[in-house]
Amino acid sequence: MCSESRPRKILVLNGSPHRADSTTMTVVNAFVEGLLASGRFTAETVNISDLHITPCMGCLSCWARTEGRCVISNDDIAPLKQKILDAEIVIQAFPLYFFGVPGQVKLMTDRLLSMMNTYQGQHAPKDGAPAHGLRYPSKTRKFLLFSGCAYVQTDEVYEPVRRQYDLICGRGGYTAVFCPQLRTTVRNGGTRLERTLERFRAAGAEFAETGALTEQTLRALTRPPFSDGVYQAVLDRVWAEEREKGADGHGTACN
């Protein structure tokens, strides 16, 4: 079989501690369904919480003594790095809890420092390029961020995340799909959720065909599904129910 006819790889990195029950993964799975419908891809999902990842030691060996390779070799980072390099589409999915990526994602990201070029004192470029360049650039690999949150807007609450990935990947080096009010949308279900999932499936089909999402599509995926008044009433009910469960009720208001 020639290389052009082999299915291309989609790698989904699920950064939610809720794993398969993640709200964000609800829309990511729909997006991947749209990609797979083209018949040109295969997909694999890795739950970051299931990986054995030793925290970065800050030794910076991957920038000098063992350039491009982390000295920690007895955990899951080396095979994960290879999965990333082998994939044509990498989707990183995570919930927004406290204005940044969850701890599992940060732990993984720190250990992938070897994928950045060695820092040699240069200033971060002003043109939106990565802070000091990607060690393994690819003209075909696409990187997408998907994240759901409980907030009514995404611009300000995702600014720390966007800034971090601008420095790592370069502005325009990734596609960000940041979804407001997502937990409530999934929790309530019904026709509103079905419409949401259909938009994500259609977006996946669009990305399979063109390798990008139009601004119109991004707006459709990231607009708040509830009006402010309706959403306030829904949240009042949600938090009242959570408080009734008490400290041992194991509430799951957001994921």
Side-chain angles (χ1 to χ4, degrees):
M1 182 183 292
C2 65
S3 59
E4 288 80 4
S5 62
R6 292 195 189 112
R8 292 172 281 176
K9 295 181 179 179
I10 302 166
L11 177 64
V12 180
L13 301 174
N14 177 12
S16 172
H18 295 274
R19 298 174 173 84
D21 292 331
S22 162
T23 293
T24 301
M25 283 300 295
T26 302
V27 295
V28 170
N29 288 336
F31 184 84
V32 171
E33 286 176 19
L35 286 168
L36 294 177
S38 68
R40 299 196 294 269
F41 296 95
T42 60
E44 178 184 6
T45 296
V46 174
N47 294 317
I48 298 173
S49 291
D50 291 336
L51 300 180
H52 170 45
I53 303 177
T54 302
C56 176
M57 300 184 298
C59 68
L60 301 183
S61 292
C62 62
W63 281 357
R65 295 190 298 272
T66 58
E67 192 165 4
R69 179 174 58 84
C70 181
V71 296
I72 301 171
S73 59
N74 59 348
D75 68 1
D76 292 327
I77 282 297
L80 178 65
K81 178 179 173 181
Q82 191 59 54
K83 286 179 184 290
I84 293 171
L85 294 175
D86 290 343
E88 182 156 325
I89 297 176
V90 179
I91 298 174
Q92 189 161 297
F94 56 88
L96 183 82
Y97 293 142
F98 203 27
F99 309 119
V101 298
Q104 296 91 334
V105 177
K106 185 63 167 65
L107 185 64
M108 178 196 71
T109 303
D110 286 350
R111 285 291 311 287
L112 293 174
L113 185 63
S114 65
M115 299 186 77
M116 296 290 290
N117 286 331
T118 302
Y119 177 62
Q120 303 195 45
Q122 69 271 34
H123 293 284
K126 301 296 184 183
D127 62 357
H132 40 100
L134 299 174
R135 190 177 295 276
Y136 311 101
S138 170
K139 292 183 179 179
T140 58
R141 188 181 305 116
K142 304 291 185 179
F143 183 41
L144 300 98
L145 295 179
F146 280 78
S147 182
C149 69
Y151 293 96
V152 297
Q153 80 291 327
T154 59
D155 289 347
E156 290 189 6
V157 296
Y158 277 102
E159 181 57 30
V161 173
R162 197 179 291 275
R163 180 59 176 156
Q164 179 180 11
Y165 284 92
D166 283 352
L167 289 168
I168 294 173
C169 303
R171 197 178 311 127
Y174 63 98
T175 299
V177 184
F178 297 148
C179 308
Q181 305 176 354
L182 187 59
R183 172 60 180 171
T184 304
T185 304
V186 174
R187 180 172 179 154
N188 281 21
T191 57
R192 182 183 278 106
L193 175 59
E194 284 305 314
R195 289 195 300 267
T196 297
L197 295 180
E198 188 50 46
R199 284 196 294 269
F200 277 86
R201 291 187 192 99
E206 177 183 321
F207 200 88
E209 199 63 36
T210 66
L213 297 176
T214 66
E215 286 299 320
Q216 180 180 2
T217 297
L218 282 171
R219 285 195 299 272
L221 298 180
T222 58
R223 65 171 177 256
F226 297 92
S227 67
D228 286 355
V230 170
Y231 192 54
Q232 182 66 62
V234 170
L235 284 184
D236 287 345
R237 185 180 73 249
V238 167
W239 293 123
E241 292 172 355
E242 290 297 314
R243 291 184 183 103
E244 286 179 4
K245 294 177 183 178
D248 297 323
H250 305 297
T252 56
C254 299
N255 71 344

